[in-house]
Amino acid sequence: MNESHLSVKNLSYTYPDGTRALKNVNMEIFKGEKVAIMGPNGAGKSTLFSHFNGLTEPTSGYLELDGKKMEYDKKTLLEIRQKVGIVFQDPNDQLFAPTVKEDVAFGPMNLGLDYEEVEKRVNEALELVGMKKFKDKTPHHLSGGQQKRVAIAGIIAMRPEIMILDEPTAGLDPQGVDQVLTILNNLNKDGMSIVISSHDIEMVNGFAEKIFVLYEGELLARGDKHEIFSNKELLKKAHLKAPITTEILYKLKEKGFDVDTTKINIDEVIDEIMKIKKS
Ligand code: ADP
């Protein structure tokens, strides 16, 4: 049995202006998982994420980290923030130091680590994201993809157990998307749990195994990507676009071909099409 890493129990959150952003959400993330929380704009993804590191306190319900109920005193919050690292959607919200290396050093320095340890972690983190040669540059002179990688390095340097990334590939070119996903896959291979939010189904299809679908603050569905991405009705209800592979299989089925519409990976879909040609 997998060990629970982060659990969300009957979580509801209402903003001071009365907006009910999360409605009785239940969720379990296990150690070492790659998870995507999907939903259109306004679904409640960012509000949920700000609960993950204790930045926001639930209106009702609670969260558990490593089986321990989250509390909001200073000491527990510090523990939570060491374990849960959040990468914001817009690197400008995260990067503010005059140089890349100072930016990446900010988190570990705040952990009270000595100079040598901070320097070691900064070098390691920049190496991992392929940004070492930019360490003396100003973050604001970097491209969007490079800024994203520096923002991720800043979190890696804190050595969290879980990394949460809000729309990690939004606005990046295809190469930038690949670079970020490779970094996340490498971190995951080393044991880090990764949670991303996105409405980009093709990107999520290539990355996450477990999907939660959030819509208007409610968790509409949870499941593996096959279950979720082949459920066209659910995707439509959640205002998400089905992957192109699912669209193709549904079209073939409509035309009377006997294909399995639960296949979502390109190779599996090609196999389905080959079967038709052969029969
Ligand atoms: P997402 O990240 O999925 O786009 P959000 O968590 O940002 O969704 O928003 C969820 C809902 O909460 C939306 O209806 C949004 O308008 C509302 N909301 C977000 N931030 C605030 C705020 N500070 N005050 C009031 N309502 C907010």
Side-chain angles (χ1 to χ4, degrees), residues 72-91:
Y72 298 89
D73 58 284
K74 244 182 154 176
K75 187 169 161 278
T76 318
L77 281 178
L78 194 69
E79 275 169 30
I80 295 170
R81 283 176 199 154
Q82 283 180 30
K83 286 189 178 184
V84 185
I86 297 206
V87 178
F88 296 111
Q89 183 175 344
D90 183 354

Side-chain angles (χ1 to χ4, degrees), residues 15-21 39-48 166 197 214:
Y15 279 102
D17 72 352
T19 307
R20 293 183 63 212
N41 292 336
K45 304 181 295 295
S46 307
T47 307
L48 181 63
D166 199 358
S197 76
L214 202 58

Side-chain angles (χ1 to χ4, degrees), residues 35-236:
V35 175
I37 295 169
M38 303 204 66
N41 292 336
K45 304 181 295 295
S46 307
T47 307
L48 181 63
F49 278 10
S50 72
H51 283 81
F52 284 169
N53 74 343
L55 202 67
T56 304
E57 261 188 75
T59 305
S60 62
Y62 63 98
L63 291 95
E64 277 180 4
L65 185 59
D66 290 329
K68 197 174 146 203
K69 190 175 171 196
M70 273 194 194
E71 303 288 350
Y72 298 89
D73 58 284
K74 244 182 154 176
K75 187 169 161 278
T76 318
L77 281 178
L78 194 69
E79 275 169 30
I80 295 170
R81 283 176 199 154
Q82 283 180 30
K83 286 189 178 184
V84 185
I86 297 206
V87 178
F88 296 111
Q89 183 175 344
D90 183 354
N92 288 314
D93 291 342
Q94 202 156 337
L95 305 175
F96 49 82
T99 64
V100 164
K101 67 178 181 214
E102 286 169 278
D103 229 308
V104 178
F106 183 78
M109 251 159 51
N110 270 346
L111 294 180
L113 302 168
D114 64 41
Y115 177 80
E116 265 134 61
E117 177 65 17
V118 171
E119 198 175 15
K120 185 170 150 242
R121 288 191 182 199
V122 169
N123 283 328
E124 248 173 43
L126 286 173
E127 184 83 49
L128 267 167
V129 302
M131 287 297 292
K132 214 168 168 186
K133 67 171 182 243
F134 297 94
K135 67 182 197 288
D136 296 313
K137 262 195 105 128
T138 303
H140 296 287
H141 293 164
L142 300 172
S143 74
Q146 290 168 337
Q147 286 181 345
K148 180 63 81 179
R149 285 191 277 150
V150 172
I152 293 174
I155 301 301
I156 293 174
M158 311 264 287
R159 305 237 174 107
E161 294 170 12
I162 309 184
M163 196 182 286
I164 314 285
L165 302 100
D166 199 358
E167 302 270 357
T169 57
L172 303 188
D173 64 18
Q175 194 195 10
V177 172
D178 283 349
Q179 284 167 335
V180 166
L181 294 184
T182 303
I183 293 164
L184 299 183
N185 276 317
N186 288 338
L187 292 170
N188 179 255
K189 274 191 208 126
D190 288 340
M192 202 185 279
S193 311
I194 311 268
V195 184
I196 63 169
S197 76
S198 184
H199 47 74
D200 179 349
I201 219 145
E202 300 293 349
M203 182 276 284
V204 170
N205 190 3
F207 177 72
E209 287 133 14
K210 184 159 125 188
I211 318 284
F212 291 99
V213 180
L214 202 58
Y215 182 65
E216 291 187 347
E218 278 178 65
L219 200 59
L220 283 191
R222 76 194 67 214
D224 76 19
K225 61 180 181 179
H226 286 83
E227 277 171 64
I228 302 289
F229 291 169
S230 61
N231 187 341
K232 274 200 29 159
E233 230 156 79
L234 165 73
L235 296 175
K236 194 169 164 203

Side-chain angles (χ1 to χ4, degrees), residues 244-253 257-261 263-279:
I244 190 77
T245 46
T246 302
E247 294 289 358
I248 292 169
L249 291 174
Y250 270 86
K251 277 263 150 58
L252 287 167
K253 188 142 197 142
F257 294 105
D258 179 22
V259 288
D260 180 354
T261 52
K263 305 290 187 202
I264 52 169
N265 294 328
I266 289 187
D267 289 339
E268 297 172 338
V269 173
I270 290 174
D271 283 348
E272 285 304 301
I273 295 169
M274 298 290 281
K275 268 193 247 159
I276 305 171
K277 279 187 79 180
K278 281 182 191 151
S279 54

